[in-house]
Amino acid sequence: MSENQDGPTRAHTRPDGVGDATVEALGSVSKALETVERARGHLYALHQLTGTADLELGRAVGLLRAAGHEEWAERIDRELVGRNVLEGRWTFQIVEEYNTTFYEPYKALEQQLRDDLVQGRDHLYEAEMKEARRTRGRPGHAARPHGEA
């Protein structure tokens, strides 16, 4: 496809010689990576929510003490405040291990695949879907943002 203002940019056009099966396979890998990104986001949400809960529990301990419930305050402080969520791990350690063991190698391999097969271009499957589905010349259906070369 030629580079024109009513078509995708070169970065969103498949290189010469790249077939439909390759573009579809890369689209599937991209979709899988997007799912991994979402999972990672949920992991960060777990990390932040668990930390927030722990801090609030610490506040509750102070309130129980102030209300005269020292035994309950001491038990909650001893048994729950600062407790590991997995054996030997707080959530930040889970996030770090996920990133190092799974996420970073996954992302690096996906990038290497795109570099090798399509000159590093991203979202070719989606860009071609956009071209097939948009109505040329209609408001809200431009191929690219105004002024993008």
Side-chain angles (χ1 to χ4, degrees), residues 50-63:
T50 301
T52 299
D54 188 65
L55 293 173
E56 187 64 27
L57 197 57
R59 180 178 177 275
V61 166
L63 292 170

Side-chain angles (χ1 to χ4, degrees), residues 59-87:
R59 180 178 177 275
V61 166
L63 292 170
L64 285 167
R65 281 194 174 111
H69 305 290
E70 184 61 37
E71 284 185 33
W72 276 109
E74 182 56 35
R75 182 174 176 193
I76 290 171
D77 194 33
R78 182 181 60 248
E79 294 183 24
L80 295 180
V81 173
R83 186 180 181 100
N84 291 330
V85 296
L86 293 177
E87 185 63 37

Side-chain angles (χ1 to χ4, degrees), residues 30-106:
S30 176
K31 183 177 181 180
L33 177 59
E34 290 169 6
T35 302
V36 168
E37 294 281 7
R38 288 181 61 207
R40 185 170 178 248
H42 289 296
L43 191 56
Y44 275 92
L46 171 77
H47 167 58
Q48 292 176 349
L49 290 169
T50 301
T52 299
D54 188 65
L55 293 173
E56 187 64 27
L57 197 57
R59 180 178 177 275
V61 166
L63 292 170
L64 285 167
R65 281 194 174 111
H69 305 290
E70 184 61 37
E71 284 185 33
W72 276 109
E74 182 56 35
R75 182 174 176 193
I76 290 171
D77 194 33
R78 182 181 60 248
E79 294 183 24
L80 295 180
V81 173
R83 186 180 181 100
N84 291 330
V85 296
L86 293 177
E87 185 63 37
R89 290 180 182 88
W90 271 22
T91 57
F92 77 90
Q93 292 164 304
I94 297 167
V95 168
E96 289 175 353
E97 191 169 337
Y98 181 88
N99 284 340
T100 301
T101 304
F102 184 72
Y103 175 74
E104 291 165 5
Y106 198 113

